[in-house]
Amino acid sequence: MKNIKIRVGHGIDAHRFVKGRPLILGGIEIPFEKGLKGHSDADVVIHSIIDALLGAAALDDIGTHFPNTEPQYQNISSGILLKKTLSLIRKHSYHIGNIDVTIISQEPKVRPFIPQMRQNISSILGLPIEKISIKATTTEKMGFTGRKEGILSSATALIRK
Ligand SMILES: [Zn+2]
């Protein structure tokens, strides 16, 4: 019998709201008066997915592979970083089983944009949309997301070889 290895990984990321930047979540531009602060496009959703995938493969984290001190990553679309992460885990003979994300945001309401985000991430990763789950919740006005200071994203990924 073939020896199949299944591994799970978790990723978490948060970015602070700032004026004068577009809000990009899951590669989709969301209409809002503020965006997220960061070296790249600050796509907190994709960053959490990258860390979940790297974590599942025990390949360190996003900051190690894509340092925020490198000019080449300034304002970069995080979809490009996700694609590079996919190549990296493929190089280690892993395939993605499924990804599950929870976005924690008091404002804006991101739920209407979830189908587009799932579509975008599944096309970046070359996976059927059923393998990408994205959910959204609030913290009932508690904590930094509740005070609308920023957005948190948490992701779990299963990989196998
Ligand atoms: Zn980030």
Side-chain angles (χ1 to χ4, degrees):
M1 215 176 103
K2 235 176 102 190
N3 185 19
I4 298 170
K5 285 185 184 152
I6 295 176
R7 298 173 61 109
V8 70
H10 176 247
I12 193 159
D13 193 32
H15 284 263
R16 176 185 291 279
F17 281 129
V18 69
K19 285 221 160 89
R21 287 200 96 192
L23 176 60
I24 313 288
L25 296 176
I28 304 300
E29 190 170 338
I30 314 269
F32 192 53
E33 76 242 27
K34 286 174 268 183
L36 293 172
K37 191 180 173 189
H39 184 67
S40 64
D41 65 0
D43 190 329
V44 69
V45 173
I46 291 186
H47 292 181
S48 67
I49 293 172
I50 290 173
D51 257 358
L53 291 169
L54 291 172
L59 287 171
D60 251 307
D61 63 13
I62 186 169
T64 309
H65 292 279
F66 314 111
N68 63 10
T69 47
E70 289 230 3
Q72 61 168 316
Y73 300 127
Q74 189 160 8
N75 294 321
I76 196 171
S77 164
S78 295
I80 296 168
L81 306 182
L82 182 57
K83 204 140 208 162
K84 285 177 190 277
T85 304
L86 177 66
S87 312
L88 190 70
I89 67 162
R90 280 211 181 129
K91 219 161 65 186
H92 288 76
S93 310
Y94 287 113
H95 298 272
I96 298 169
N98 69 297
I99 291 169
D100 183 25
V101 180
T102 303
I103 305 167
I104 299 143
S105 167
Q106 194 71 43
E107 223 175 58
K109 295 287 172 227
V110 299
R111 201 184 300 272
F113 302 95
I114 286 177
Q116 280 171 269
M117 289 186 219
R118 289 178 67 204
Q119 189 64 61
N120 183 49
I121 288 159
S122 70
S123 88
I124 291 169
L125 295 174
L127 291 171
I129 197 162
E130 297 78 26
K131 294 194 166 197
I132 312 294
S133 157
I134 301 179
K135 313 179 297 302
T137 190
T138 72
T139 50
E140 304 235 310
K141 299 185 177 168
M142 295 179 289
F144 73 85
T145 62
R147 292 189 297 269
K148 306 168 193 171
E149 292 170 7
I151 297 182
L152 181 75
S153 181
S154 168
T156 306
L158 188 136
I159 59 171
R160 63 192 149 75
K161 72 166 149 189

